[in-house]
Amino acid sequence: MTPPSWTDGPATGGSWLDGLRLALTTFTVAPVAGPRRLDRVVAGRAMALGPMVGALLGALLGGLLAAFAAGLPALVAATLTVGLAALLSRGLHLDGLADTVDALGSYRSRERALEIMKSPEVGPFGVVALILVLLLQVGALAQLTARPLPAVAVGVAAAVAGGRLAIAEACRRGVPAARPGGMGALVAGTVHPVALVLATLLVAALAVPAVPGRPWQGPAAVLASLLVVAALRVHLVRRFGGVTGDVLGFLSETATTVIAIGLILF
């Protein structure tokens, strides 16, 4: 996950529109112009707006899942939807998942682990992690197809938005970057606590209709994913010295998977 060039200037300038543009170009393949100004203020706004962008993308994917399931077996419909999710996000988060797991699995020094994370090659740990996460997501979405269309759309929207919420949590104030360059250095420590709380409440509220007859289960899945993400983030910061773009992708896919599974329990 490599951002365009940026200026690490004072915390001034940059608009919320620039933040929205950066969020769209970072989290989706939407053909929009990038931000006119790119600094850590804009980056923080983009990460705070990430869950909203994720909700819109997830609602689209949820509608497609329901449409696919109307004429195809549930597993086929879910597989197509997960594939489209990767395509519409450029596969960046899946790449981060594989790279982070490879680095963790290496049991090397911090410096060597960061080098492994930057390598374009995917090792056996990364391959297994990708297969496991994709299978879990496909299985969970297949189960969602049995629900009414609104619940399907909201369920997928909540899972995708929750993945972006995980990135906002990992970029909250006080979280350092693992190295001076790259996406991690641009976004680490930029999200204000108030923005994170508001984003959490919005994603939790979005998840309320995802489980018919159990309005508490969707928000509970979102909050559970945040707890998992926070615990993993603490470990990863201790292991690598901070967050990187790959770490953010890893946490995003983890949160999406936890929420998707949480929506189909019981």
Side-chain angles (χ1 to χ4, degrees):
M1 297 175 68
T2 303
S5 59
W6 56 281
T7 302
D8 190 8
T12 59
S15 67
W16 280 98
L17 179 57
D18 283 328
L20 179 59
R21 287 172 173 167
L22 181 59
L24 286 169
T25 55
T26 300
F27 296 122
T28 74
V29 295
V32 299
R36 292 171 297 177
R37 176 182 174 85
L38 183 54
D39 56 20
R40 285 174 53 79
V41 175
V42 172
R45 291 170 176 172
M47 298 304 102
L49 291 171
M52 181 184 71
V53 173
L56 294 174
L57 176 61
L60 170 63
L61 291 168
L64 291 173
L65 174 62
F68 292 148
L72 295 169
L75 280 176
V76 176
T79 301
L80 289 173
T81 303
V82 170
L84 280 173
L87 178 65
L88 294 177
S89 60
R90 299 189 187 89
L92 288 178
H93 301 149
L94 291 172
D95 177 69
L97 168 72
D99 288 343
T100 302
V101 173
D102 274 337
L104 285 172
S106 71
Y107 295 101
R108 302 291 183 87
S109 67
R110 171 185 175 272
E111 292 74 17
R112 179 57 182 147
L114 289 173
E115 290 176 6
I116 291 172
M117 198 182 297
K118 287 185 67 176
S119 172
E121 299 176 356
V122 179
F125 286 109
V127 171
V128 171
L130 283 173
I131 293 173
L132 178 61
V133 165
L134 290 174
L135 285 175
L136 288 172
Q137 291 180 2
V138 167
L141 294 192
Q143 291 294 313
L144 282 181
T145 60
R147 297 178 181 175
L149 173 59
V152 174
V154 168
V156 179
V160 177
R164 277 59 178 177
L165 179 63
I167 293 177
E169 196 284 331
C171 293
R172 66 175 181 78
R173 299 272 176 89
V175 177
R179 48 182 173 239
M183 175 61 81
L186 174 61
V187 301
T190 60
V191 176
H192 194 283
V194 173
L196 180 58
V197 169
L198 290 175
T200 301
L201 292 175
L202 288 173
V203 176
L206 173 65
V208 169
V211 186
R214 294 173 180 263
W216 54 269
Q217 188 166 338
V222 172
L223 295 178
S225 75
L226 273 184
L227 290 176
V228 171
V229 163
L232 287 172
R233 187 251 308 152
V234 169
H235 173 67
L236 293 169
V237 169
R238 185 183 302 119
R239 178 70 175 86
F240 302 131
V243 296
T244 68
D246 286 325
V247 165
L248 299 180
F250 166 81
L251 294 174
S252 178
E253 289 296 336
T254 298
T256 294
T257 305
V258 170
I259 293 172
I261 293 173
L263 295 178
I264 63 168
L265 294 177
F266 309 113

